[in-house]
Amino acid sequence: MVDEIVKIIENEDKKNPLTDEKIAFILKINREEVTQYRLENDIPDSRERRKPYLYEDAKKILSEDREISDRKFTKKLNDLGYDISRFAASQVKKEILSSEVIVADNVKDNDDGKDDEIRRESDLMSFKEIIGYDGSLKTQISQAKAAILYPPHGLHTLLLGPSGVGKSQLAEAMYNFAIESGMLKSDSPFIIFNCADYADNPQLLMSQLFGYVKGAFTGAESSKAGLVEKADGGILFLDEVHRLPSEGQEILFFLLDKGRFRRLGETDSERQANIMLIAATTENPESSLLLTFRRRIPMVIELPPISERPHTERFEIIKFFFKKEAFRINKPIKLRPDALRALMLYDCPGNIGQMRSDIQVACARGFLKTLDRKENTITINLSDLPNHVRMGLLKVSKREPYIEEYADKDVIIYPNKISKLLPKEDRYMLPDEIYQFIEDRFTELKNDGLKREEIYKIVGSQVESELKKFANDIRSRNLVSKRELKEIVGEKILYAVEEAIDIAKENYKNIKDNLFYALAIHLSAAYERIKSGKSIFNPQLESVKREYVREYVVAKKMVERINKILNIELTDDEVGFVAMYLRTFSANESGNKGNVAVIVLTHGHVACGMADVANKLLGVNIAHGIEMALDESPEDALKRTIEVVKKVDEGKGCIILVDMGSLITFGEIITKRTGIPTRTIGRVDTVMVLEAVRRAVIPDTTIDDIANALDENKSYVGHVEGVKDSNKLPKAIVTICITGEGTALKIKKYIEDKIPEIKNGLKIIPLGLFSERELDAEINRIRSKNNIQAFVGTIDPKISDIPYISVEEIMNGEGLKRLKKLVNMDVVEESRLKEVLDDDLILFDVDVSMKSDAIDKMVELLEEKGYVDEKFILSVYKRESMGATWMKGGVAIPHGDTKYVTKPAIAIAKLKEAIYWEGNFKTDLIFMLALKEDAKDYMLDLYKVLSNEEILKDLKEAKSSRDIKEIIIKNTIPSN
């Protein structure tokens, strides 16, 4: 078979080699067999086979014109016989140019020119492992080089950026560059120290850094050199330098300024050290570092979060981490398109560090699946990703055009660190195939465990994307000036708006350009609401019909056109909105009334940027940003906000959009002090600001209209009205059901039957309503007259200072116990372990043969029930690698890092047959601990069980999961 494959390859078109799939078709075998034969015999794939010919011709083209456009470059390659897309050609061009291997004809024979070229190539070697070194991080890399090369010993450098952006990697690359460039000797030290490791013990931190003399403090029995001395002649990298106490910063400043320092306890002499300092921090240096210290660090390099990196680099980062895992496991990894889409789209607040961890978890799960199936390739499906990564797929409708450059193909990464992209056979999908596509995708996503509504959203957005690509293939539309808007709302919406604007221009001569943007954003939201079955209500409709007669008539024509294009039915309420936009963007400025002002208030440098984006896009100036320094007191920020509110209020009040924390209360305080109406909404983002400004420019819109529209469930809306001192009001419990008062009454009666004495001095108020808006208002009314102790029912109203107890908790008894505690009633003592023992977490007669199977099964159960997050499993395996979790009596107690525990629990597995756990030690009873740092009481009770041979014997002889729980509870009830 190998000979046949070799023969086919020898006779193939060298410029367009055959893929494994095409070779398989010729030989009438499976593609996987061709791939396996090829890999076993070190035969390159089609891409690698074409590379020498392609790159040679590409270099010739680029040597003639380095500035050639991607389109012309692609055409020249196609004219030479290569069947290559513009995207693939642009990648080749980028790779060749970044490698600096193109030499102009007039210097080819010049030795000095060759030396310069080699030097340039060498300069880049240290930083080539950093993805984006020639892209989004080009400026930062240039700064890093300048810092190292600055005579005589380089510039001290401060690296800024949130956690996980790659500060440590850049520091190490700077050290390697210093050696490559000759600024440091090859044996020069590179000392790494994380100040956070000793932040709780400043004396120990200082002693580690600067060393100490004998007797400097209790326990200092001999002198010891610090890290500063060890870094002499090299680089000292201090991570999380903001955790260094001010005294340490002062000493470090003196060292950087004079080159001298003292060990702790040293008074008579000074020591010398010549170091280059690279420090890193996630904090604002102006608020976390002393001014004297900052002055000695002239070079500041800020690294962006992954959310601000180009999608091309995010793709490379994803491939890089999968390459590392493939190399470690020594197996190829196949990344399925949906998994790649999710990784490209999900929010990754921990940046590159978190992405690495998420990919490791996915690979661990994929690897475990191959053990049973004996597969050679590890396939990463959507279901293998942590849940928060999978949620990224729900964002696909917002950025589909970017992602489909990559996510219409499997990505296979081999252990030899070479990545292969295997495209689908058809790049574009014709409309008559769309129904088959929907059916196939629905089945695939359902098998991956997604819910029906999630599948509808994903498949719907992908269908729209495929149709867009087909439309682009048969007709091109010049929307360059509106490109960004197209990425937000989609091409279909954009086209409908264009047609509607044409109708508007036939009737009005002074239509402003920003009507286009406002109407596009509004229509996009309305379209999504219709698709999801939600209705819309325009409270100004009757007023519009009465006062904007002409605008209403034109708006009706525009909406009819939109309905026809989008095949939807926008209601009369929407006609009213369009008429309001017409009125706003066609009238003279002098004829407009005042607007509701929009104020964006955030911690850090965020607010002004969001306000600017909204103002520029909508062509107005009613959004105002206020940025609160991290060390600024809330009172100072409040004073600044009050001044802005007074300045910008046009008589209609201010919407205040805040990011978090105590800022949510600002509106109420401002209204009391100034009399200006305000509404405050939390968790602001750019989309929210854009929507607030869009609504604020509509005539006759009130502050309440905007606030209600922005946050329909009122979860984060701060109200102007205050609440009376609740301690002086009568106590009450509210039983609540969104479907009607009947259920709320039943809940009330159940509680009174189970706890008759609860009626003494306590009201139980049943509340049943059909809408969350009514619910919010009704709860405020009840709170004004009662001190609500708890909500009990079928819906959590999310009032932060009032606990909620679900009906399920009430029915299983735990809720009644909580309720008694809340109203200060006596509670019968029970085992504390009952709080962390869930019936669903006790497995009986589990049939497993290996330790890893047991761990995986128990962690999966904990994760499925919401007790731990996706990173817990990795921490369990790391803990197992550190040493035995086996106890005398044949019991295993595996456990993971407490920071990955969502709520405390203990999972228990009684095995059908004992398995080897550690060396020759066997176990048939496993306690998987998912506890938090404050789990001392639980551990004490558990120790009573695990250290008692009689209890262990009873547990191992138990006949059911219920027996296991009862034995544990019975033996851990506190004695009176």
Side-chain angles (χ1 to χ4, degrees), residues 596-597 652-656 676-680 700-709 720:
V596 174
K652 298 181 73 173
C654 299
I655 285 284
I656 303 175
I676 297 172
T678 62
R679 291 290 295 273
T680 310
D700 303 323
T701 298
T702 68
I703 189 174
D704 289 331
D705 291 338
I706 298 173
N708 293 341
V720 173

Side-chain angles (χ1 to χ4, degrees), residues 203-230:
Q203 185 185 54
L204 184 57
L205 189 155
M206 301 277 284
S207 67
Q208 290 288 321
L209 204 52
F210 300 106
Y212 54 85
V213 296
K214 183 178 180 180
F217 51 85
T218 304
E221 299 178 356
S222 60
S223 297
K224 181 181 178 182
L227 298 178
V228 165
E229 288 175 73
K230 294 179 181 179

Side-chain angles (χ1 to χ4, degrees), residues 248-436:
Q249 292 183 39
E250 291 284 4
I251 297 174
L252 206 52
F253 160 73
F254 188 75
L255 169 67
L256 301 182
D257 195 44
K258 306 294 184 183
R260 301 193 300 273
F261 72 101
R262 287 192 176 100
R263 291 180 180 178
L264 261 66
E266 206 165 37
T267 56
D268 299 333
S269 60
E270 290 184 332
R271 300 174 184 271
Q272 287 191 327
N274 177 26
I275 67 165
M276 176 182 173
L277 176 70
I278 301 177
T281 179
T282 57
E283 303 292 321
N284 180 355
E286 294 181 7
S287 59
S288 60
L289 300 176
L290 296 177
L291 178 61
T292 51
F293 180 51
R294 297 202 313 269
R295 283 176 176 169
R296 293 303 303 161
I297 306 181
M299 180 63 77
V300 178
I301 303 175
E302 187 166 2
L303 296 175
I306 196 169
S307 59
E308 295 178 11
R309 302 278 294 271
H311 58 279
T312 52
E313 291 178 7
R314 183 162 180 150
F315 179 60
E316 291 302 320
I317 290 168
I318 292 168
K319 283 202 300 178
F320 175 77
F321 287 133
F322 275 110
K323 286 178 189 178
K324 294 190 77 169
E325 296 308 305
F327 185 72
R328 287 170 57 192
I329 302 169
N330 197 29
K331 279 189 176 185
I333 296 176
K334 180 195 289 185
L335 183 58
R336 299 289 291 130
D338 275 330
L340 178 56
R341 282 190 187 94
L343 286 165
M344 289 289 287
L345 288 169
Y346 84 107
D347 292 325
C348 195
N351 296 294
I352 298 172
Q354 179 182 340
M355 182 168 281
R356 177 182 58 208
S357 176
D358 291 337
I359 287 174
Q360 284 180 334
V361 170
C363 290
R365 290 175 174 172
F367 178 71
L368 286 172
K369 288 191 300 186
T370 63
L371 298 180
D372 290 336
R373 302 172 187 169
K374 296 181 180 179
E375 295 174 354
N376 186 51
T377 299
I378 296 170
T379 300
I380 305 299
N381 292 302
L382 184 64
S383 56
D384 295 315
L385 298 174
N387 186 56
H388 67 274
V389 181
R390 294 199 295 269
M391 290 303 100
L393 203 57
L394 299 180
K395 296 173 62 181
V396 74
S397 61
K398 297 294 182 188
R399 291 169 59 186
E400 185 87 22
Y402 294 100
I403 305 310
E404 289 309 307
E405 293 178 13
Y406 313 102
D408 62 348
K409 54 182 79 73
D410 286 341
V411 178
I412 297 188
I413 296 98
Y414 292 95
N416 60 6
K417 297 189 178 181
I418 297 174
S419 176
K420 310 285 195 281
L421 301 186
L422 303 180
K424 290 193 300 189
E425 186 170 341
D426 295 320
R427 181 160 179 78
Y428 296 104
M429 183 192 313
L430 296 174
D432 58 359
E433 297 172 0
I434 218 77
Y435 296 106
Q436 186 62 47

Side-chain angles (χ1 to χ4, degrees), residues 835 898 901 904 931-939:
E835 298 171 6
T898 57
V901 175
L931 301 174
K932 292 184 175 288
E933 296 88 342
D934 56 356
K936 178 182 176 184
D937 291 341
Y938 298 137
M939 292 304 298

Side-chain angles (χ1 to χ4, degrees), residues 3 135 162 164 260 263-264 426 435 459 461 593 603 663 884 928 935:
D3 292 339
R260 301 193 300 273
R263 291 180 180 178
L264 261 66
D426 295 320
Y435 296 106
V459 175
S461 61
K593 300 177 182 179
H603 296 79
L663 303 183
M928 173 75 75

Side-chain angles (χ1 to χ4, degrees), residues 666-834:
F666 273 28
E668 182 178 345
I669 299 169
I670 290 169
T671 298
K672 286 179 180 177
R673 294 188 186 180
T674 66
I676 297 172
T678 62
R679 291 290 295 273
T680 310
I681 300 178
R683 298 189 185 178
V684 64
D685 57 23
T686 304
V687 175
M688 181 187 287
V689 179
L690 196 61
E691 180 69 2
V693 173
R694 180 183 70 77
R695 289 181 176 274
V697 299
I698 299 174
D700 303 323
T701 298
T702 68
I703 189 174
D704 289 331
D705 291 338
I706 298 173
N708 293 341
L710 290 179
D711 196 321
E712 291 180 342
N713 64 12
K714 311 289 178 34
S715 299
Y716 314 114
V717 178
H719 296 276
V720 173
E721 305 85 45
V723 179
K724 296 178 183 177
D725 184 359
S726 61
N727 291 325
K728 297 178 182 178
L729 299 173
K731 293 183 178 180
I733 295 168
V734 176
T735 58
I736 188 169
C737 181
I738 197 72
T739 58
E741 198 170 322
T743 304
L745 280 167
K746 289 180 181 178
I747 299 170
K748 173 187 176 182
K749 187 175 185 307
Y750 184 85
I751 293 172
E752 290 174 342
D753 289 344
K754 291 294 181 181
I755 318 174
E757 61 272 30
I758 203 167
K759 290 182 285 187
N760 300 331
L762 189 74
K763 287 194 292 184
I764 302 181
I765 304 171
L767 179 59
L769 295 165
F770 287 95
S771 81
E772 293 182 21
R773 186 170 298 179
E774 294 175 59
L775 183 63
D776 186 72
E778 192 65 17
I779 287 172
N780 281 338
R781 185 189 65 76
I782 294 172
R783 286 192 80 181
S784 67
K785 299 177 181 178
N786 299 275
N787 181 0
I788 301 177
Q789 302 293 295
F791 291 107
V792 180
T794 58
I795 182 172
D796 182 359
K798 292 185 170 63
I799 307 296
S800 59
D801 56 337
I802 302 177
Y804 166 71
I805 303 172
S806 70
V807 172
E808 288 77 15
E809 289 177 282
I810 291 292
M811 300 303 287
N812 68 27
E814 289 299 313
L816 294 173
K817 180 181 173 183
R818 280 183 62 198
L819 205 52
K820 285 183 177 181
K821 286 184 178 180
L822 287 170
V823 297
N824 297 319
M825 296 178 64
D826 292 334
V827 180
V828 177
E829 287 292 339
E830 294 181 335
S831 167
R832 289 174 295 202
L833 285 181
K834 192 173 182 182

